Amino acid sequence: CIACRQLNKLGPLLVRGQQHVMADPASAAGTAADDSTPSEPVSFNRVLSIQSHVVHGYVGNKSATFPLQLLGFDVDPINSVHFSNHTAYPGGFKGDVLKGDQLLTLLEALKTNKLTRYS
């Protein structure tokens, strides 16, 4: 997908179903990155979840974040879309789609602030 190609510019990517998780090789190895020390404590239970979001219903990040938190994960959700409801409703849906450059802006800010250390 377009988001995966954009993410690959920033670092290795693990894809699990509809959930995209950016992995930092240094954190996976249990070592600090060569260029700097993270500005927050490193948790090896951190997930970057890039999925859809709906106001009504439970899909994507709205359904994934809370269960992952219950399992002890610190979840950083990025909503790839923000829709009123699931797209299968007969009356349609309204909302916005996150553009590739907007996603890159968010990810670059996370990287600049040394917040991309995901397990």
Side-chain angles (χ1 to χ4, degrees), residues 72-116:
F73 287 90
D74 182 12
V75 182
D76 291 343
I78 294 179
N79 298 325
S80 59
V81 301
H82 189 95
F83 290 160
S84 57
N85 48 267
H86 192 279
T87 58
Y89 274 77
F93 66 95
K94 300 284 184 185
D96 299 309
V97 176
L98 184 70
K99 293 177 178 62
D101 59 329
Q102 294 170 318
L103 175 61
L104 272 179
T105 299
L106 291 171
L107 295 173
E108 287 169 353
L110 289 171
K111 192 170 188 176
T112 298
N113 290 302
K114 299 173 186 71
L115 300 173
T116 57

Side-chain angles (χ1 to χ4, degrees), residues 23-111:
D24 180 354
S27 67
T31 60
D34 293 335
D35 58 348
S36 61
T37 304
S39 57
E40 66 176 36
V42 176
S43 167
F44 291 101
N45 290 324
R46 291 190 64 223
V47 175
L48 176 60
S49 177
I50 304 173
Q51 299 189 61
S52 61
H53 174 82
V54 293
V55 175
H56 174 80
Y58 294 93
V59 298
N61 273 330
K62 193 167 178 187
S63 65
T65 301
F66 183 60
L68 285 168
Q69 289 171 330
L70 285 176
L71 292 171
F73 287 90
D74 182 12
V75 182
D76 291 343
I78 294 179
N79 298 325
S80 59
V81 301
H82 189 95
F83 290 160
S84 57
N85 48 267
H86 192 279
T87 58
Y89 274 77
F93 66 95
K94 300 284 184 185
D96 299 309
V97 176
L98 184 70
K99 293 177 178 62
D101 59 329
Q102 294 170 318
L103 175 61
L104 272 179
T105 299
L106 291 171
L107 295 173
E108 287 169 353
L110 289 171
K111 192 170 188 176

